Amino acid sequence: MKGLFKSKPKTPVDLVRLTRDLLIYVDQNPDSRETKREEKMLELNKLIRELKSILYGNGEAEPVSEACAQLTQEFFRENTLRLLILCLPKLNLEARKDATQVVANLQRQQVQFRLIACDYLEANIDLMDILVLGYENTDMALHYGTMLRECIRHQSVARYVLESENVKKFFDYIQLPNFDIAADASATFKELLTRHKSTVAEFLSKNYDWFFAEYNSKLLESTNYITRRQAIKLLGDMLLDRSNCAVMTRYVSSRDNLRILMNLLRESSKSIQIEAFHVFKLFVANQHKPADIISILLANKTKLLRLFADFKTDKEDEQFEADKAQVIREILALEPWDQP
Amino acid sequence: MAQEIEKPRKVQYPHDSTCYKITDEIGRGVSAIVYKAICIPNSTVVAIKSIDLDRSRTELESVRLEAKIMSLLSHPNILRAHCSFMVDHRLWVVMPFMSSGSLQSIMTSSFPDGLSEPCIAVILRETLNALSYLHNQGHLHRDIKAGNILIDSNGSVKLADFGVSASIYESNSGKGSNSGTNSASGRLTDLAGTPYWMAPEVIHSHTGYSFKADIWSFGITALELAHGRPPLSHLPPSKSLIMKITKRYRFSDYERAKNSKNKKFSKNFKDMVGLCLDQDPSKRPSAEKLLKHSFFKNCKNSDFLSKNLLVGLPSVEQRFREIKLQRLESMNCRSADGDDEDDQVFLIGGVTVKQRRISGWNFNEDGFELDPVFPVSKEDNEIDNDIVKQVRFGGETIIRDRGGESEKLNLQTQLADGEIGGGGGGGSVDRDVMMGSLMFLKKSLDDQRQKVMNMIDMINGEENVEMSRELQLMQVIENLKMELENVKKRNFELEMELGVSQLTAKQQSL
């Protein structure tokens, strides 16, 4: 029978339309368990896979840019992305993965030199909240997480997520017990805080107080090894980025921050110690240290010098040695603060 | 074929180490240990791979990707993780316990000369099912070998260890610099895997490689199952070996003279392996296509394995204990930690020789063997001198002997051409090719260094003048790398200081 209806291959636009129709059906018939629904689900899975092979090519053929552009345009002409995100939990694992790859790819597709995905997301920015909250659902976290990371490639979208209330949730997501989900949340968090320099600098200056209070207490002082290790590394990346210079100067003038960093320096984990050193050196190198920073450093002078005496990286690292020597020199040269 | 929806998360495996009772150690690598354990709440036997993230030199990013891949794959022939969580500074990956262990361990303990053809057929078909699924998902496994094929007591076969697998859909979005993934063309250029099983285009990764590299390793694995070990693996690293290589010594890898059994393999089997070991990746069939090869036509079910292969085998725990004893005995002959032993945990009774450079392979269908072809310098010099020249002058060619006819592998010439072509225009060598060549060179250097290290350990102090040149070279390269890093950092720090002083200037003016 089927052979009779084997018409000409469907165009990318047709495929997107058919997908959208089926998504609407799935969305509106959540509970029907009859075979009809199952058939439609099967067809939907197949369609999503076809969309994927247009965008990525398949074993034999490379993707055709014209077809990709048509697909992208039709996809964002209507609300297909929203439907797909909402229906994702109803799809099976393979279809979820295909859909995630489709969404990821669409973020990079240009139609007449425009990333129309970005325009769409700006108009439908609440979708980002759904994706972020996905970290709370074990089955959806990795799919929504991947989509989210792709969407925040767009600066305006990243800015929205950073400025939304949801950004605070990452401090908890990063510490979820599932390693794969926690690590994914952590990768997204890092992306948010390093990708778009100007947005990050603006966000950090505006939100300095609550952000670093949370960062210190929840991440740097976490009981979870991997949280501390990733947090200290990311802190170094942020503070050493020159676009965050103002934030860095502020951070290294606080005695509370210094206390936390000195605790990290004493960790038994080499990796954490080394990363902590890269932040600690900023406190010491600061040529205008506040009095309380100087007094803490002076009070701990002997301990610090003893620590650095046999502080080594696994591999020989000249720069590290040079930094260390400089830090030692600075500490040795410290004088009690003279009141101006 | 793989579309059944498994719902493994419904069986609960807690993210809490106190819920697991460790009963045995069944594998060990540099930074990972594999345990047999019982999950107390649901009284299921599991395997736990415990990876020390503080000692592991692998980047956290690749650990994340492995965990992600493992939790998103769902196929009866792929070993999937139940869950993973942190226990202090170790990552625990809880997996189904495959009670018969890896095929490599089975062969080491009970079938040193390889398995029978009907058993091999079942194993290879199941492995191909897994590969075909993986490739359809856009993943490369990149480390197919008997050590990564696990088997359960009921004969079910699962592909394991995604420590080096890669996705061509997912370019590393983070820093991205150290990943060779190029999602646009779906090709990879970075080096991964275990040398004996590596495809030629992975070793010479200047043109990039794709799914077909896994097919090559699959072919090598077929030989490994047939003979008990992959081509070349029994050779100890020694000065004499290098001499043999450079003097174009052709050796039969499997010492048939000693191996009086003289196993017969079917024409179909030989043909199938021959297809996988085609020098030209594009001529190798896909996993899906291979499944239709007549070799698999009358293939038995997997319970054939439980009745024929697994009867009377010592347990995984016993095997590991034996291996451990042997290791203790040979401790003093073994060299220090190899760089890439992290992913060797399933390789119970591992291979001791790790890295050797091979410029090509000739599959000898009659002998059912793969004859290695080694790089030989024009002057038939020592191989180490040859390498030094390649690095210094970049124009040396390596002659690859191909069953009598010589073929030039002018990687280095290409490199030089690239530089010229860049100026004059019309040169077809682009950045990727260049990168590939450089990475190949780097890999060669690493290999050479490893080899030198091994030899130094072997000779234990004995003078070796030829080697010292290479060591010097390595040193020079290390120093240069370090200098570059230093300059970068200094630059950065200067900028920062500038920033700080500007800021303080502002403060003072207030």
Side-chain angles (χ1 to χ4, degrees):
Chain A
M1 269 300 270
K2 259 188 180 167
L4 286 176
F5 298 102
K6 212 173 184 180
S7 51
K8 50 184 182 255
K10 296 185 189 88
T11 67
V13 174
D14 292 341
L15 289 173
V16 175
R17 283 187 189 146
L18 285 168
T19 308
R20 184 162 53 228
D21 292 346
L22 283 172
L23 284 170
I24 292 170
Y25 174 86
V26 170
D27 191 42
Q28 289 171 350
N29 300 274
D31 301 315
S32 58
R33 273 246 149 258
E34 73 269 40
T35 40
K36 189 181 167 202
R37 186 183 141 90
E38 267 166 37
E39 261 173 39
K40 296 221 173 200
M41 285 308 271
L42 277 179
E43 204 186 327
L44 180 57
N45 296 346
K46 252 174 63 191
L47 281 167
I48 297 174
R49 176 146 295 192
E50 279 184 66
L51 295 180
K52 183 179 108 175
S53 63
I54 292 175
L55 292 170
Y56 286 93
N58 55 29
E60 283 96 55
E62 294 279 305
V64 180
S65 56
E66 182 56 24
C68 292
Q70 285 170 5
L71 190 158
T72 309
Q73 194 156 29
E74 180 59 27
F75 203 94
F76 291 114
R77 201 175 57 78
E78 281 187 57
N79 236 346
T80 323
L81 183 61
R82 179 178 296 273
L83 281 165
L84 189 58
I85 288 176
L86 290 175
C87 293
L88 203 67
K90 292 168 186 148
L91 306 179
N92 71 22
L93 178 65
E94 298 308 319
R96 285 177 192 173
K97 286 188 280 186
D98 288 341
T100 303
Q101 287 172 349
V102 167
V103 172
N105 187 293
L106 288 173
Q107 303 310 313
R108 305 157 197 228
Q109 291 289 344
Q110 296 200 352
V111 179
Q112 282 146 16
F113 309 107
R114 270 192 80 75
L115 290 168
I116 58 171
C118 184
D119 302 341
Y120 176 87
L121 288 178
E122 282 172 7
N124 293 273
I125 200 73
D126 62 300
L127 287 176
M128 292 305 107
D129 301 322
I130 301 177
L131 296 184
V132 174
L133 294 175
Y135 281 117
E136 290 168 26
N137 178 342
T138 316
D139 291 323
M140 300 312 299
L142 293 178
H143 308 290
Y144 280 158
T146 305
M147 287 187 189
L148 177 61
R149 258 196 314 287
E150 293 295 333
C151 293
I152 58 173
R153 297 166 70 89
H154 309 300
Q155 186 155 8
S156 55
V157 177
R159 188 182 305 120
Y160 170 82
V161 178
L162 272 176
E163 285 170 358
S164 73
E165 276 300 297
N166 283 336
V167 78
K168 294 185 175 152
K169 297 211 159 84
F170 277 93
F171 292 96
D172 299 318
Y173 295 158
I174 285 173
Q175 312 206 50
L176 284 168
N178 290 296
F179 174 81
D180 46 353
I181 297 175
D184 195 273
S186 184
T188 308
F189 190 59
K190 182 182 173 184
E191 191 76 357
L192 277 172
L193 290 167
T194 49
R195 188 172 184 102
H196 305 287
K197 308 284 181 204
S198 59
T199 302
V200 173
E202 192 192 334
F203 166 77
L204 289 178
S205 339
K206 270 199 211 156
N207 298 276
Y208 184 94
D209 290 317
W210 76 260
F211 182 83
F212 283 106
E214 291 273 291
Y215 201 96
N216 286 347
S217 64
K218 283 199 169 157
L219 304 184
L220 292 179
E221 296 187 304
S222 163
T223 51
N224 186 328
Y225 160 83
I226 203 80
T227 306
R228 289 197 308 281
R229 180 168 158 189
Q230 286 177 318
I232 185 63
K233 172 86 172 70
L234 176 57
L235 179 66
D237 289 348
M238 288 191 292
L239 297 184
L240 284 161
D241 195 303
R242 75 188 147 147
S243 58
N244 295 326
C245 192
V247 170
M248 185 271 285
T249 323
R250 195 165 164 194
Y251 192 89
V252 300
S253 301
S254 147
R255 55 174 290 162
D256 285 338
N257 295 344
L258 178 59
R259 184 184 52 78
I260 289 167
L261 263 296
M262 284 172 61
N263 280 331
L264 288 169
L265 269 182
R266 297 192 323 192
E267 284 250 359
S268 60
S269 156
K270 195 95 207 170
S271 321
I272 291 181
Q273 276 191 316
I274 303 283
E275 293 300 337
F277 174 78
H278 287 304
V279 178
F280 175 79
K281 71 184 179 194
L282 299 173
F283 286 85
V284 182
N286 180 3
Q287 289 307 307
H288 299 271
K289 297 186 254 306
D292 50 355
I293 297 283
I294 295 185
S295 61
I296 291 180
L297 291 174
L298 277 173
N300 293 284
K301 190 168 171 175
T302 351
K303 278 188 204 160
L304 284 168
L305 292 176
R306 209 185 308 140
L307 174 78
F308 291 136
D310 39 34
F311 193 39
K312 279 197 183 70
T313 47
D314 286 341
K315 268 190 183 170
E316 218 175 288
D317 182 342
E318 263 182 34
Q319 184 55 46
F320 176 79
E321 292 300 322
D323 285 352
K324 198 177 83 181
Q326 202 199 329
V327 166
I328 292 174
R329 270 198 309 278
E330 293 273 355
I331 292 177
L332 282 170
L334 279 179
E335 299 281 345
W337 177 264
D338 299 319
Q339 290 300 324
Chain B
M1 94 210 60
Q3 311 308 356
E4 63 256 62
I5 313 157
E6 264 181 61
K7 289 199 172 159
R9 284 189 198 272
K10 299 300 168 251
V11 185
Q12 286 299 316
Y13 288 90
H15 298 88
D16 176 359
S17 63
T18 59
C19 294
Y20 299 87
K21 185 168 169 273
I22 289 173
T23 54
D24 262 298
E25 183 179 321
I26 52 173
R28 185 179 276 268
V30 174
S31 58
I33 304 173
V34 183
Y35 299 108
K36 181 183 178 183
I38 293 168
C39 174
I40 301 163
N42 59 27
S43 38
T44 313
V45 182
V46 294
I48 297 174
K49 184 175 174 183
S50 163
I51 307 160
D52 186 342
L53 293 186
D54 210 41
R55 280 198 60 197
S56 164
R57 265 171 263 165
T58 48
E59 293 235 351
L60 287 181
E61 179 65 8
S62 56
V63 178
R64 176 181 79 83
L65 285 176
E66 179 183 4
K68 184 180 165 184
I69 291 170
M70 274 188 85
S71 34
L72 289 181
L73 292 175
S74 173
H75 186 274
N77 295 114
I78 285 177
L79 187 72
R80 191 173 184 279
H82 291 313
C83 66
S84 53
F85 52 92
M86 291 301 297
V87 181
D88 195 19
H89 52 86
R90 303 190 77 99
L91 172 64
W92 277 27
V93 184
V94 181
M95 299 172 285
F97 176 67
M98 300 292 285
S99 58
S100 299
S102 84
L103 279 160
Q104 198 249 354
S105 130
I106 291 174
M107 290 193 296
T108 308
S109 86
S110 309
F111 300 92
D113 298 321
L115 309 177
S116 73
E117 192 172 317
C119 284
I120 295 174
V122 179
I123 295 161
L124 290 182
R125 186 198 51 204
E126 300 294 297
T127 309
L128 271 182
N129 280 330
L131 259 188
S132 154
Y133 171 80
L134 267 184
H135 289 179
N136 270 322
Q137 300 274 313
H139 294 299
L140 272 74
H141 185 281
R142 303 208 291 184
D143 205 10
I144 305 284
K145 56 185 181 187
N148 282 337
I149 302 172
L150 307 185
I151 199 163
D152 206 352
S153 56
N154 64 5
S156 73
V157 174
K158 286 185 201 283
L159 187 58
D161 211 333
F162 298 83
V164 289
S165 63
S167 169
I168 63 163
Y169 289 128
E170 188 159 349
S171 51
N172 260 347
S173 53
K175 285 187 177 164
S177 55
N178 50 1
S179 148
T181 311
N182 180 350
S183 54
S185 61
R187 289 189 155 256
L188 297 152
T189 48
D190 56 336
L191 283 156
T194 313
Y196 305 124
W197 291 262
M198 258 188 210
E201 74 272 18
V202 178
I203 299 173
H204 314 289
S205 60
H206 59 294
T207 49
Y209 57 94
S210 194
F211 302 118
K212 296 299 176 63
D214 275 347
I215 300 296
W216 174 280
S217 309
F218 175 80
I220 298 287
T221 304
L223 286 178
E224 183 186 9
L225 295 174
H227 295 293
R229 54 186 169 245
L232 278 182
S233 60
H234 68 293
L235 295 166
S238 70
K239 180 84 175 133
S240 70
L241 173 68
I242 289 191
M243 293 300 288
K244 282 178 197 166
I245 292 167
T246 49
K247 297 267 185 289
R248 301 189 196 194
Y249 179 88
R250 276 297 191 90
F251 45 86
S252 167
D253 190 27
Y254 302 104
E255 299 169 282
R256 261 174 303 175
K258 277 191 209 164
N259 196 353
S260 53
K261 282 182 188 165
N262 220 348
K263 285 211 226 172
K264 285 249 161 62
F265 291 103
S266 72
K267 180 91 188 64
N268 272 337
F269 188 17
K270 291 176 183 175
D271 178 66
M272 195 276 294
V273 175
L275 291 172
C276 297
L277 297 180
D278 198 306
Q279 295 281 336
D280 179 356
S282 66
K283 288 190 185 136
R284 289 173 219 152
S286 67
E288 227 167 319
K289 222 173 194 172
L290 270 177
L291 276 168
K292 292 182 189 122
H293 192 277
S294 44
F295 175 58
F296 298 110
K297 219 162 216 167
N298 297 313
C299 191
K300 308 273 198 299
N301 286 326
S302 52
D303 54 291
F304 177 82
L305 293 179
S306 63
K307 286 174 199 137
N308 291 276
L309 182 67
L310 307 177
V311 185
L313 274 184
S315 75
V316 172
E317 300 93 301
Q318 281 168 336
R319 274 181 257 156
F320 181 69
R321 260 175 247 134
E322 266 169 45
I323 294 298
K324 226 175 166 182
L325 280 175
Q326 284 171 19
R327 272 201 188 168
L328 279 174
E329 282 164 17
S330 62
M331 203 66 140
N332 37 0
C333 335
R334 284 205 58 179
S335 59
D337 301 352
D339 258 18
D340 50 354
E341 276 189 66
D342 287 23
D343 43 4
Q344 275 232 35
V345 273
F346 284 110
L347 254 176
I348 300 170
V351 190
T352 45
V353 192
K354 291 281 298 183
Q355 311 241 333
R356 189 171 305 117
R357 184 159 156 253
I358 294 155
S359 71
W361 296 95
N362 290 324
F363 181 61
N364 174 348
E365 203 174 303
D366 298 329
F368 200 47
E369 288 166 3
L370 194 69
D371 297 335
V373 179
F374 294 93
V376 181
S377 76
K378 269 182 191 160
E379 300 86 353
D380 236 9
N381 264 342
E382 296 270 319
I383 187 163
D384 37 355
N385 290 341
D386 183 27
I387 294 292
V388 172
K389 275 195 203 119
Q390 284 170 23
V391 173
R392 291 227 174 113
F393 305 117
E396 285 285 323
T397 55
I398 302 168
I399 295 167
R400 192 165 50 160
D401 188 354
R402 233 185 169 186
E405 139 216 24
S406 287
E407 189 187 294
K408 275 184 187 170
L409 181 79
N410 48 0
L411 206 74
Q412 276 67 39
T413 318
Q414 256 183 18
L415 195 90
D417 284 351
E419 281 157 3
I420 299 160
S428 59
V429 183
D430 60 7
R431 212 177 136 271
D432 287 349
V433 175
M434 196 85 128
M435 268 312 286
S437 310
L438 288 173
M439 276 166 67
F440 166 58
L441 270 177
K442 183 174 172 293
K443 171 74 181 161
S444 306
L445 283 169
D446 289 348
D447 286 357
Q448 292 297 315
R449 181 156 103 145
Q450 180 74 35
K451 203 152 46 185
V452 171
M453 291 305 183
N454 287 344
M455 280 183 216
I456 286 174
D457 284 341
M458 294 272 301
I459 300 161
N460 236 343
E462 197 183 304
E463 271 283 313
N464 197 323
V465 189
E466 290 92 337
M467 295 304 152
S468 68
R469 278 184 68 187
E470 190 178 307
L471 275 178
Q472 279 169 5
L473 187 78
M474 288 307 303
Q475 203 95 62
V476 170
I477 290 176
E478 278 302 312
N479 290 344
L480 281 173
K481 264 195 220 155
M482 229 157 350
E483 257 178 57
L484 181 69
E485 274 307 301
N486 290 345
V487 172
K488 271 192 206 156
K489 276 191 189 165
R490 243 170 250 153
N491 217 358
F492 197 59
E493 234 122 90
L494 280 173
E495 279 175 322
M496 216 180 60
E497 255 173 53
L498 192 71
V500 174
S501 57
Q502 275 172 351
L503 203 108
T504 38
K506 250 189 240 163
Q507 279 175 346
Q508 279 166 347
S509 69
L510 278 172

